[in-house]
Amino acid sequence: MKTLYDVQQLLKQFGIYVYVGKRLWDIEVMALELDHLHDASLIDHATFAHAKLVLTHEHRIEEAREKTK
């Protein structure tokens, strides 16, 4: 799992589609949904950790992009 798209595909396997309208908010909602899946033991810890790293990385990129605007 290397990209935001990969995380979206993981969530899609559970019928979770996220579109809030702003990419930063989408990433935050995906992180919440990922937490819920992990808490319910629907995904293993390794998958959870990789997905969280991807989301954290993408979130930092988006924050930096917003600061430059």
Side-chain angles (χ1 to χ4, degrees):
M1 189 166 319
K2 295 183 180 183
T3 66
L4 186 62
Y5 180 76
D6 295 334
V7 177
Q8 287 174 319
Q9 294 307 304
L10 172 66
L11 294 174
K12 191 172 159 182
Q13 291 175 2
F14 296 95
I16 300 170
Y17 297 86
V18 175
Y19 181 77
V20 180
K22 188 174 180 183
R23 186 174 167 93
L24 187 63
W25 296 343
D26 288 345
I27 293 167
E28 291 170 359
V29 172
M30 283 184 225
L32 290 172
E33 292 294 342
L34 200 60
D35 290 340
H36 293 298
L37 290 174
H38 185 255
D39 291 344
S41 299
L42 295 173
I43 57 174
D44 62 24
H45 186 71
T47 303
F48 172 73
H50 286 292
K52 283 295 259 195
L53 282 173
V54 170
L55 291 175
T56 301
H57 176 71
E58 292 292 331
H59 194 274
R60 287 183 184 152
I61 291 171
E62 287 302 313
E63 283 182 327
R65 187 175 294 158
E66 284 191 3
K67 286 180 183 178
T68 61
K69 285 185 180 180

